[in-house]
Amino acid sequence: MKRLLLIILFASQLSGCAGLGALALGSIVYYTSSQHKVATVNIKAKADNVYRVAVDTIENNTELEITSKNERERVIELVKETTKDSYAVSIKISKLDAGHSQLILASDARIDTDSHIASMKQGIFRICNELKVECHLSKS
């Protein structure tokens, strides 16, 4: 799990505040390596609100279990365990400015299945829907 947090921190340094101008709001961008999948999205919502919605969304999904959360840092660590999949996920929500935040989701990619990728997308879309903000897959 610590490795996933390092990936999140690295991704946030790459995309940081400058990403708000370069990356369209609501545009979900994926990065994949041999060991991790990372998704980022800039959201027009306060970081604390995004964090609360993310926690509520995860807690209402019976396939997910929060293993740790840090409200001050807005970090959530969880695992997904089903008969088909089992993997770890770390989520970090960063404040870009007073009304915008960035959600970074990093997942263990040892299991490379379509359902794994679909779960990541569905989670982000659920959070966006709860916040009533539009999110879409990046075209790039």
Side-chain angles (χ1 to χ4, degrees):
M1 204 54 95
K2 288 183 182 182
R3 195 171 186 188
L4 291 176
L5 286 174
L6 290 174
I7 296 294
I8 286 176
L9 291 174
F10 179 72
S12 67
Q13 294 300 314
L14 288 178
S15 53
C17 291
L20 186 59
L23 183 64
L25 286 173
S27 182
I28 303 167
V29 178
Y30 284 91
Y31 309 90
T32 302
S33 74
S34 62
Q35 296 181 347
H36 297 94
K37 296 182 186 322
V38 179
T40 65
V41 61
N42 291 345
I43 299 173
K44 186 175 181 178
K46 293 179 180 183
D48 290 337
N49 292 346
V50 176
Y51 176 81
R52 280 191 290 281
V53 166
V55 168
D56 289 345
T57 301
I58 294 163
E59 288 177 341
N60 289 321
N61 186 330
T62 58
E63 294 181 348
L64 303 177
E65 178 185 344
I66 294 176
T67 55
S68 72
K69 57 185 174 181
N70 181 325
E71 187 172 351
R72 188 174 61 82
E73 296 292 323
R74 293 187 292 280
V75 172
I76 308 161
E77 294 181 15
L78 60 117
V79 293
K80 177 177 182 179
E81 301 230 11
T82 66
T83 55
K84 296 179 185 178
D85 289 325
S86 176
Y87 52 87
V89 178
S90 292
I91 300 172
K92 167 79 173 136
I93 294 101
S94 300
K95 177 181 175 179
L96 297 177
D97 63 29
H100 297 87
S101 58
Q102 181 178 61
L103 183 147
I104 303 171
L105 187 146
S107 178
D108 184 350
R110 290 177 288 166
I111 298 173
D112 191 19
T113 64
D114 289 336
S115 65
H116 182 176
I117 295 167
S119 292
M120 290 175 65
K121 290 181 204 175
Q122 289 171 356
I124 293 172
F125 284 126
R126 279 188 198 127
I127 292 167
C128 291
N129 286 337
E130 287 295 320
L131 290 165
K132 297 180 180 19
V133 297
E134 183 180 335
C135 290
H136 57 275
L137 296 176
S138 173
K139 296 189 187 342
S140 56

